[in-house]
């Protein structure tokens, strides 16, 4: 046999299977700590609203995971279910306009591949993604955050640069997982070059996972081949290149990292394509690879599920939105400033996520403290009374 062997036991050298729960836990612990700090000063935990209008098993499972995790970590969660998909837009607009709602997640597919006429000119699900307010978009999929990601814009409020953009939570979960895998990220290199020299193949180019993930890994310096049903593109250095003379097999064989996200039970990537010391991440709800055969390949690192980390990133994004837009201190400042100024190409990302585990800290309030506000109000009232008497 040509199988690699362990010299001490004379048994085949196995690959390593990583449990994503251990990766998710530090991020969830950080969220718990932030909520505890809010409660110490009498502020209620942020509220996440989920909108579900389909019978898709994966969407229902994700909704259940989300609610269970949020409640376990001290966040408030409310699932709003609709029988008719056509009612989702009205429910979404209602949640957007509700100041008590701090985050919104829509469990897709709503309409799926069905094309419904809309002002956006695209599928109704795409239209709904762009309807979510950027102040509540925990998935990071609305036009504002997608555009900023592809332009490598990191902040919403240039030049102050205090409000970091939200990144798509499923793609971000893969990045966080890869950061823990041996030999993938080289943090001794400058930002934007942590994955320089690495080749990645992502088998999925959906707007939810594949495309944003390819952009994020390319922002970190990797050459990323994005594979879809009928085309292959190379993401490199902020540019997209059409690939003509490559096959999926050839790309997988030369890749250091392979990410599979094919949402069908029948798809399996041939194990013989996977080379020793490759990192393989399965994003799909179905297993796109034969796990037993894969783990017999020397040096392989395999992550079979990303759901737990995705939920942790969802919570992290919710806290970022809360501190960006909904915290009482921030609301007062936004009234004074006239809101968020949008985005600028000058507010560039450093590469990848570049934000560490703390996704929701905020500087000292601009007005000092509540005593100063009270004193200013009283002084203003006294002056008004004096002027009135004159």
């Amino acid at each position: 046999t040509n199988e690699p062997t362990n010299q001490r036991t004379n048994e085949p050298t196995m690959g390593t299977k990583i449990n994503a729960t251990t990766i998710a836990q530090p991020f969830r612990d950080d969220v718990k700590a932030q909520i505890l700090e809010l409660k110490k000063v009498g502020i209620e935990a942020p509220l996440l609203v989920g909108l579900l209008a389909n019978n898709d098993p994966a969407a229902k499972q994700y909704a259940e995971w989300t609610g269970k995790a949020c409640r376990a970590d001290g966040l408030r969660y409310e699932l709003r279910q609709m029988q008719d998909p056509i009612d989702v837009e009205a429910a979404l607009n209602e949640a957007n306009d509700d100041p008590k709602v701090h985050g919104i997640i829509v469990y897709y597919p709503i309409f799926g591949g069905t094309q419904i006429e809309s002002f956006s000119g695209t599928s109704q699900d795409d239209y709904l993604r762009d309807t979510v307010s950027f102040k509540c978009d925990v998935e990071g999929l609305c036009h504002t955050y997608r555009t900023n990601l592809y332009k490598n814009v990191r902040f919403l409020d240039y030049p102050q640069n205090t409000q970091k953009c939200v990144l798509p939570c499923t793609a971000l979960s893969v990045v966080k997982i890869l950061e823990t895998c041996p030999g993938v990220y080289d943090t001794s290199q400058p930002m934007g070059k942590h994955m320089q020299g690495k080749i990645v193949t992502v088998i999925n180019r959906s707007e939810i996972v594949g495309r944003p993930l390819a952009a994020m890994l390319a922002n970190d310096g990797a050459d990323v081949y994005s594979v879809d049903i009928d085309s292959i593109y190379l993401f490199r250095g902020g540019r997209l290149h059409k690939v003509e003379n490559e096959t999926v097999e050839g790309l997988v064989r030369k890749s250091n990292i392979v990410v599979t996200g094919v949402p069908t039970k029948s798809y399996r990537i041939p194990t013989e394509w996977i080379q020793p010391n490759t990192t393989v991440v399965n994003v799909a709800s179905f297993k796109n690879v034969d796990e037993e055969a894969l783990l017999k390949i020397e040096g392989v690192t395999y992550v079979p599920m990303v759901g737990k980390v995705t939920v942790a990133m969802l919570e992290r994004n919710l806290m970022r939105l809360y501190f960006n837009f909904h915290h009482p201190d921030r609301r007062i400042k936004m009234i004074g400033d006239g809101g968020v100024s949008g985005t600028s190409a000058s507010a560039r990302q450093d590469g990848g996520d570049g934000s560490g585990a703390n996704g929701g800290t905020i500087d000292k309030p601009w007005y000092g403290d509540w005593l100063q506000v009270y004193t200013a109000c009283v002084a203003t009232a006294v002056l008004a009374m004096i002027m009135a008497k004159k």
Side-chain angles (χ1 to χ4, degrees):
T1 179
N2 292 323
E3 280 187 331
T5 58
N6 185 310
Q7 293 182 356
R8 290 186 178 180
T9 63
N10 204 33
E11 293 179 354
T13 303
M14 303 292 282
T16 302
K17 181 178 174 180
I18 292 182
N19 183 354
T21 302
T22 59
I23 301 171
Q25 197 58 52
F27 296 103
R28 293 182 63 180
D29 289 343
D30 186 65
V31 168
K32 290 178 185 177
Q34 292 179 59
I35 292 172
L36 196 60
E37 290 301 312
L38 290 174
K39 289 183 176 180
K40 283 181 181 178
V41 293
I43 298 175
E44 201 169 22
L47 171 64
L48 174 64
V49 167
L51 302 178
L52 178 64
N54 65 61
N55 294 315
D56 181 71
K60 284 189 171 182
Q61 185 180 48
Y62 188 23
E64 290 172 3
W65 281 353
T66 308
K68 185 177 179 180
C70 284
R71 284 186 278 269
D73 294 341
L75 292 162
R76 293 181 296 143
Y77 176 79
E78 180 182 322
L79 181 63
R80 300 177 183 178
Q81 293 185 262
M82 286 129 279
Q83 297 301 315
D84 191 339
I86 206 69
D87 295 328
V88 174
E89 183 178 2
L92 178 53
N93 286 327
E94 180 182 350
N96 277 336
D97 295 336
D98 187 348
K100 295 179 182 178
V101 174
H102 309 118
I104 299 170
I105 177 172
V106 180
Y107 295 103
Y108 301 101
I110 299 295
F111 294 93
T114 304
Q115 298 294 315
I116 303 292
E117 288 297 326
S118 67
F119 288 111
S120 68
T122 57
S123 75
Q124 192 74 351
D125 279 7
D126 290 339
Y127 170 72
L128 290 173
R129 272 189 278 273
D130 286 336
T131 302
V132 181
S133 167
F134 71 95
K135 295 182 180 180
C136 294
D137 183 14
V138 292
E139 295 180 283
L141 295 173
C142 71
H143 182 267
T144 298
Y145 293 127
R146 288 202 323 270
T147 302
N148 286 355
L149 170 61
Y150 298 137
K151 290 182 177 180
N152 215 10
V153 174
R154 190 68 193 96
F155 293 92
L156 288 166
D157 61 338
Y158 176 82
Q160 289 82 14
N161 292 351
T162 64
Q163 294 176 300
K164 287 183 177 178
C165 291
V166 167
L167 296 169
C169 56
T170 305
L172 181 59
S173 73
V174 177
V175 171
K176 291 302 178 186
I177 288 169
L178 291 177
E179 286 178 350
T180 70
C181 293
V184 175
Y185 271 75
D186 182 359
T187 55
S188 68
Q189 297 297 317
M191 285 291 189
K193 295 184 178 181
H194 285 175
M195 291 187 72
Q196 191 171 47
K198 295 293 190 294
I199 298 175
V200 184
T201 295
V202 179
I203 307 176
N204 175 298
R205 202 184 307 128
S206 69
E207 293 296 336
I208 297 176
V209 184
R211 186 183 294 272
L213 176 61
M216 291 166 72
L217 296 179
N219 286 346
D220 280 349
D223 280 353
V224 185
Y225 290 96
S226 174
V227 177
D228 209 357
I229 295 174
D230 57 359
S231 61
I232 300 173
Y233 284 92
L234 170 63
F235 285 69
R236 174 192 283 164
R239 297 181 66 86
L240 195 65
H241 309 270
K242 184 72 179 288
V243 177
E244 300 285 0
N245 300 315
E246 290 276 11
T247 64
V248 179
E249 178 180 353
L251 294 175
V252 171
R253 285 184 178 277
K254 70 179 182 180
S255 291
N256 308 103
I257 300 103
V258 177
V259 181
T260 63
V262 182
T264 57
K265 191 174 184 179
S266 60
Y267 179 82
R268 287 289 179 97
I269 185 170
T271 312
E272 57 266 24
W273 294 0
I274 306 295
Q275 300 302 299
N277 303 311
T278 301
T279 299
V280 180
V281 181
N282 182 73
V283 179
S285 53
F286 301 103
K287 288 187 177 180
N288 291 160
V289 66
D290 183 336
E291 180 177 312
E292 184 178 353
L294 179 67
L295 290 175
K296 291 180 180 179
I297 301 173
E298 183 179 13
V300 159
T301 301
Y302 176 52
V303 184
M305 298 177 67
V306 302
K308 297 293 179 67
V309 185
T310 299
V311 172
M313 294 302 104
L314 191 79
E315 293 185 354
R316 183 172 177 267
N317 282 351
L318 176 61
M319 297 307 298
R320 177 163 292 174
L321 291 171
Y322 183 77
F323 284 107
N324 276 354
F325 305 111
H326 305 291
H327 190 284
D329 294 342
R330 179 64 77 178
R331 282 181 179 273
I332 293 174
K333 187 178 190 307
M334 288 175 65
I335 292 171
D337 291 347
V340 178
S341 60
T343 60
S344 166
S346 300
R348 295 291 178 187
Q349 289 192 76
D350 291 326
D353 176 45
S355 57
N358 295 321
T361 56
I362 188 171
D363 295 333
K364 184 179 179 182
W366 63 278
Y367 49 79
D369 56 43
W370 288 107
L371 181 60
Q372 292 180 18
V373 174
Y374 175 77
T375 303
C377 291
V378 171
T380 302
V382 171
L383 287 173
M385 292 174 61
I386 293 173
M387 295 298 293
K389 289 180 179 180
K390 290 183 177 181

